[in-house]
Amino acid sequence: MPGQVLALAGEFPGATFEKWRELSAATVAADLAGDDPETALSTWTEDGLRLKPLYTEADLQGLAPRGRPGQWPFVRGADAPDVSTGWEVRQRLTVTGPGSLAESSVRAELAGGVDTLWLPTDDDRLRSGGLSQVLAAVDLARVGLVLDDTPASDALAHTLLAKVRERGIDPAAVTGSLGVDPLGRQARTGVQAELGELVPLFVLAQELPAMEVVTVDGTVYHRAGASPAEELGLATATAVAYLRTLTDAGVPIEDFFARVEFRLAVTADQFGSLAKLRAARLVWSRVADLCGVPEAGAQRQHAVTSHAMLTRHDDRTNMLRATVACVAAVTGGARAITVLPFDAAGAEPGALGQRVARATHAVLRHEAHLGRVSDPAGGSPYVESLTDRLAEAAWEHFTAVEKAGGMQHHLASGQAFKDLAERTRERRRAIALGERPLTGISSYAVLDEPLPPHGAAAPLPPGALPEVRYAEEFEALRDRSDAHVHRTGARPSVLLVAPGTLARNSRVLDRARNLFASGGVATDQAVGDPDELASGLRERAPRAVCVCAGDSEGLSALVTAARETGASVVYALAAAFPSEERERTASAGVTAFLPSDGDMPALLARVLDDLEVR
C-alpha cells in the first residue's frame, strides 16, 4: 500500500554488526591467531587492496559522488541506458583464409547475432587486399567495424572511406572505430611509436563522424601481467599522451574526448572486473574535469574477456570463465563486449569456440535479460568501496608514469617491463602456492581429456612487452608428461599408499592426487591395514610410491616396504610430521618429503625428473 513500509524479515530479530563479529569470532576461533574476525577473514587483491568479509552502509561514507547513469562522474555508466537493447555484441573475426573463406567467416558472425565486427587488420591476409573482400560481405550502414592498429592504419582508413563512397552509404551511418593506438603498437612490437600519425587520421576521420578514431588498448598491458589498477593507470597515461599530441596540433579537446574508446580486460573475478570498469570511468572523468570539460568525460568502454586467464588443457572450463567475465562486463557498464572463444589459447579458434562465444552473448542478453537493468551493482557497499579504492590506486599509477616522463618514456626506458615483471612474479607465486587455484590446471586436473591441437607461439619481437597466461607453467609440465605418453605409450604414475581407513586419509589423498595430476602424473591408491599394504606392495612392485597419511604414524615402515619391493622413487606426504618420525622415515630411504603446501611447479618438475620424464 502507498506509504506502507515493507519490513523484510521483520518477524526475525534484527541483525547487528556486533552480533556478526561475535558469531564469526566463535566460528573461526582456531584461525584468528590473535586477530579480530574481520582481519582473519579478509583477503587481498593484486593491488594490495583489502577485501573485508562484510560491508555495511558505513563503508559508503566519504565516497566520491555517483550521479545517475549518463551523468558526471559517469561511475554508473557513460550513457543513459537503452535497456531495450543492452550492450553491443562485438566479436573478433577469425580469418581462416583470403577471399571467400574470410567472407564466409563474416557471414557466420553476423548470422550469429554480432552487432560489430572487430577485424584483425594486423593479419597479413587482410592487409594484402583482403579487407576489400571482407567489406563486400558487410552492410556498412548497419554493421559496425573496428580495425586493429597497424603501421598501415592510414591506408586501411582510406580503403574503408573509399568503399563507403563507392557504395553511396551515408558516412554518418558508419560506426565503429579506426582503432589507432601507436603506443599500444609499440608495447606489442617494440617499435618506437610516432604519435604524430594520429593527426592526419583525425583529419581523415572527420568524414566518418560516427566512428571513434583512437582505441586505448589496456588489454596489451593486462596480457603482459598488469594488475587491474596498473592496467587502468597505463591506459590513462596512454590516453593523456594522445590528448596532448592532438590538442597541440589544434584538435579541439572536446573532439578528442568524443572519439576515443578504451579497451579493457575482464576476468572471472566478477566483482573485481565490474569495479574496474566503474573505476576506469571515475578516473577518466577526473581527467576530463582537470581539462575543463567535465561533461565530455563519458568514457566509452570495450570490454574483452581475458586471454591471460584462458587455458589450453581442460579448455571447456574457459566457457565458465568467459561467461562470468561477460556478466562482469555487462553489470560493470561496458558499452561493447567481446567474448574470446574458449579454445583461443591454442591454435586459431575453431567454429565451435566462435559459436559458443556468440551464444554466450545471446543467452545473457535474451534469456537472462542482463541488459535490462542499469548499474545493478550500484549502491552495494562492497562494490562502491572497491570502485573508489581501485580508482585511487589507478590514479597513483597514472600520476607516477606522468611524473617519470609520460607513457612513451615509460615504455622506452624499460620501466614498464620491470614493473610488469614484478607483478607477474607476485602472481606466479600466488598460483604456485595454491593461493589462486586454476580449475582444471592446478586443481582438479583431468589427465585423459583430449588436448586440442596447438602450435608453438610466435616469438615476440625484440622490445615488445611479454604475453603471459596464468596456466603456462603448469601446462609446460603437462606437455612434458604428454610427450612421455607419446614416446612410451604410458603416462608417468605414482601409487598412493595410505595406512588406516579412507575416512582418516581422504584429505591427504585428495591433496596427493591433485598435486600429481597438476603435473601430468597419474595415480592409483591402496588404503588399509599396514601389513596388508606391505604385502600388496610386494605383489605390485610399483616403480614409484607416495606414502600418505593423515598423521605420520607408520609411514617409515611403509617406506621400508616400498624400497624392499624395488621402488626407485618413494615420497612421503603427511598432514603432520613430528621430527622423530621424520628422521625414521628419512633413514628408511624416502626420496623426498612432499610438503602439504609449497611451490607446486618446482615440486612437480622434481617429480618428473625423478620419474625420468624428459
Side-chain angles (χ1 to χ4, degrees), residues 304-562:
V304 183
T305 60
S306 167
H307 184 272
M309 73 176 178
L310 297 182
T311 64
R312 284 193 293 105
H313 293 78
D314 200 7
D315 61 356
R316 298 306 195 269
T317 310
N318 292 329
M319 298 182 194
L320 305 179
R321 296 185 178 100
T323 300
V324 173
C326 188
V327 170
V330 176
T331 54
R335 183 183 68 169
I337 301 173
T338 297
V339 175
L340 296 184
F342 68 83
D343 52 353
E348 285 189 343
L352 178 61
Q354 295 171 67
R355 179 183 175 188
V356 170
R358 295 190 298 266
T360 302
H361 289 281
V363 170
L364 296 180
R365 179 194 262 184
H366 300 297
E367 296 186 21
H369 303 291
L370 285 191
R372 301 297 297 275
V373 180
S374 173
D375 190 29
S380 158
Y382 169 42
V383 170
E384 299 290 8
S385 173
L386 182 56
T387 295
D388 261 41
R389 289 182 297 142
L390 190 52
E392 290 169 3
W395 190 262
E396 288 180 8
H397 283 292
F398 160 59
T399 53
V401 172
E402 286 292 287
K403 290 175 183 176
M407 190 62 196
Q408 193 162 22
H409 175 76
H410 191 61
L411 289 171
S413 67
Q415 190 59 46
F417 293 83
K418 295 176 184 177
D419 293 347
L420 295 175
E422 178 61 28
R423 184 66 64 193
T424 299
R425 281 192 294 270
E426 292 173 0
R427 184 184 296 109
R428 183 261 170 206
R429 175 188 170 279
I431 293 172
L433 295 178
E435 297 170 1
R436 290 186 56 181
L438 304 175
T439 303
I441 302 297
S442 65
S443 63
Y444 306 108
V446 180
L447 296 184
D448 57 359
E449 51 102 11
L451 183 63
H454 67 279
L460 291 171
L465 289 180
E467 292 188 5
V468 299
R469 282 188 304 105
Y470 306 149
E472 284 178 323
E473 195 168 11
F474 284 94
E475 289 182 337
L477 297 168
R478 294 277 294 273
D479 290 343
R480 186 173 165 186
S481 172
D482 291 343
H484 181 80
V485 175
H486 182 73
R487 286 193 303 268
T488 67
R491 191 169 292 280
S493 63
V494 173
L495 175 64
L496 308 181
V497 179
T501 64
L502 183 60
R504 174 190 169 197
N505 295 294
S506 61
R507 190 169 182 179
V508 72
L509 284 170
D510 285 344
R511 167 66 185 171
R513 277 194 300 269
N514 195 51
L515 173 66
F516 286 118
S518 297
V521 178
T523 56
D524 195 2
Q525 70 181 42
V527 183
D529 178 76
D531 292 335
E532 294 178 359
L533 290 175
S535 176
L537 284 172
R538 285 190 287 273
E539 293 177 6
R540 299 176 69 161
R543 178 174 174 238
V545 174
C546 181
V547 181
C548 310
D551 56 55
S552 59
E553 183 179 351
L555 289 192
S556 58
L558 285 173
V559 170
T560 300

Side-chain angles (χ1 to χ4, degrees), residues 227-313:
S227 68
E230 284 175 323
E231 181 186 350
L232 297 187
L234 295 174
T236 304
T238 300
V240 168
Y242 298 157
L243 170 65
R244 288 196 184 98
T245 299
L246 288 166
T247 52
D248 287 348
V251 174
I253 193 168
E254 295 88 349
D255 286 2
F256 173 78
F257 276 94
R259 308 197 72 175
V260 60
E261 181 179 67
F262 285 71
R263 182 178 297 150
L264 301 169
V266 284
T267 71
D269 177 4
Q270 180 176 340
F271 287 98
S273 291
L274 73 88
K276 181 171 83 172
L277 296 177
R278 300 171 95 248
R281 293 194 294 272
L282 183 56
V283 169
W284 190 236
S285 71
R286 185 174 181 186
V287 172
D289 190 28
L290 293 174
C291 291
V293 287
E295 296 305 318
Q299 186 184 74
R300 284 161 291 281
Q301 294 176 334
H302 171 203
V304 183
T305 60
S306 167
H307 184 272
M309 73 176 178
L310 297 182
T311 64
R312 284 193 293 105
H313 293 78

Side-chain angles (χ1 to χ4, degrees), residues 8-26:
L8 297 175
E11 66 272 27
F12 296 99
T16 64
F17 185 71
E18 289 70 24
K19 186 65 174 177
W20 173 84
R21 286 176 57 90
E22 178 186 335
L23 294 173
S24 299

Side-chain angles (χ1 to χ4, degrees), residues 17-45 49-55 382 389:
F17 185 71
E18 289 70 24
K19 186 65 174 177
W20 173 84
R21 286 176 57 90
E22 178 186 335
L23 294 173
S24 299
T27 304
V28 299
D31 300 321
L32 286 178
D35 293 329
D36 62 272
E38 277 192 279
T39 302
L41 296 172
S42 291
T43 56
W44 302 85
T45 71
L49 306 180
R50 177 189 172 196
L51 302 181
K52 299 191 297 184
L54 183 67
Y55 286 79
Y382 169 42
R389 289 182 297 142

